[in-house]
Amino acid sequence: MKKLMVALLLLTTVYSCKKDKRKAFSTWSVNGQKFSTNDVRLDFGKAIYILSTNNFDRDSNGFLIVINGGGVLPAHRLDCPTDMCFKIRYKANYYVGKLPGRVTSSYNNHRNSFNLNETWFYKMNYTAEDSVLVKGVFSEP
């Protein structure tokens, strides 16, 4: 019985010391309407880095960030239009941003996040008049 109590005490100690790894939230607004989720996925390899809401193509609202080259440097300003593709899904429509100088990356708690200054996104394959104003912080899970 004494061995069982010692084992339970050790087990309890181990679980109480276990780090609580919670997913970071991504928060953004589109035309003043706020969104927040931690249902985000990350895929990356040597040549590409993808951060998106889990059901980007099915949900009415979400985001997709694709960075060519696969690497993200801390405190890096993503200036070149060929560096990054950034899409917003809003009310079931896709919008693309013109981003030079608008996105910066940071690295905290072993996670990348992207800060997007207020930027106009334009509906894909439509005129510039069909646009939305977007800003936010987009974080890895």
Side-chain angles (χ1 to χ4, degrees):
M1 181 72 174
K2 197 172 189 180
K3 288 182 182 181
L4 180 61
M5 292 298 280
V6 170
L8 284 174
L9 181 63
L10 286 172
L11 192 59
T12 304
T13 305
V14 168
Y15 278 109
S16 67
C17 292
K18 184 179 176 185
K19 281 189 177 179
D20 186 17
K21 189 172 181 177
R22 294 185 178 154
K23 290 183 175 181
F25 274 82
S26 294
T27 56
W28 69 99
S29 66
V30 180
N31 289 344
Q33 185 177 357
K34 296 183 187 233
F35 300 95
S36 181
T37 187
N38 66 353
D39 189 17
V40 174
R41 73 177 219 201
L42 172 65
D43 297 309
F44 65 92
K46 290 181 181 180
I48 197 162
Y49 172 100
I50 302 170
L51 179 66
S52 69
T53 48
N54 262 330
N55 297 308
F56 178 71
D57 288 326
R58 292 183 296 229
D59 290 343
S60 294
N61 302 296
F63 67 89
L64 170 74
I65 300 171
V66 178
I67 299 174
N68 297 313
V72 180
L73 300 173
H76 179 63
R77 185 173 295 276
L78 299 163
D79 285 328
C80 180
T82 58
D83 279 354
M84 170 184 261
C85 172
F86 201 134
K87 293 181 185 177
I88 290 290
R89 186 146 159 98
Y90 178 64
K91 295 184 178 178
N93 293 302
Y94 295 100
Y95 296 87
V96 178
K98 300 195 186 279
L99 300 173
R102 306 276 182 177
V103 179
T104 55
S105 66
S106 61
Y107 188 76
N108 294 314
N109 296 327
H110 307 289
R111 296 179 179 138
N112 284 306
S113 64
F114 302 92
N115 185 23
L116 173 68
N117 295 324
E118 205 167 64
T119 304
W120 287 103
F121 278 62
Y122 301 94
K123 196 169 184 183
M124 293 176 61
N125 303 322
Y126 287 90
T127 63
E129 290 83 33
D130 196 357
S131 58
V132 293
L133 190 59
V134 179
K135 69 176 177 178
V137 177
F138 305 87
S139 300
E140 289 181 356

